Amino acid sequence: MARPKIHDDDLRRRLVDEATAIVETDGLGTLSVRSVARAASTSTTAVYSLFGSKDDLTRAVLVRALRDFTAAQREAGTEEPIEHVTAL
């Protein structure tokens, strides 16, 4: 059965989710367009259509990681310096 050719924001998020999972499990060096496409049940064409390149997909994973890290830092923050450092 042919895969659907729907390259939308949901697929983009799913690809970043799958790429992130691969990086978390096996490291950044193991990330490939083919493995991400396979994990998301789509084609490599979809990855290239949405990101342009493996480097751009990798960038999306790193941007998400930085956003998540920043959000976690903000959530841990308090007005008291010692409590703030302890929470971090």
Side-chain angles (χ1 to χ4, degrees), residues 15-69:
L15 288 166
V16 175
D17 289 345
E18 295 297 346
T20 300
I22 290 168
V23 171
E24 286 175 351
T25 302
D26 301 319
L28 191 57
T30 65
L31 187 65
S32 72
V33 170
R34 183 172 291 157
S35 65
V36 173
R38 186 179 322 114
S41 298
T42 192
S43 66
T44 57
T45 302
V47 178
Y48 288 116
S49 294
L50 290 166
F51 295 97
S53 69
K54 177 187 169 193
D55 288 343
D56 291 332
L57 172 61
T58 302
R59 189 172 293 108
V61 170
L62 296 175
V63 166
R64 176 186 280 181
L66 287 172
R67 284 183 184 154
D68 290 350
F69 179 75

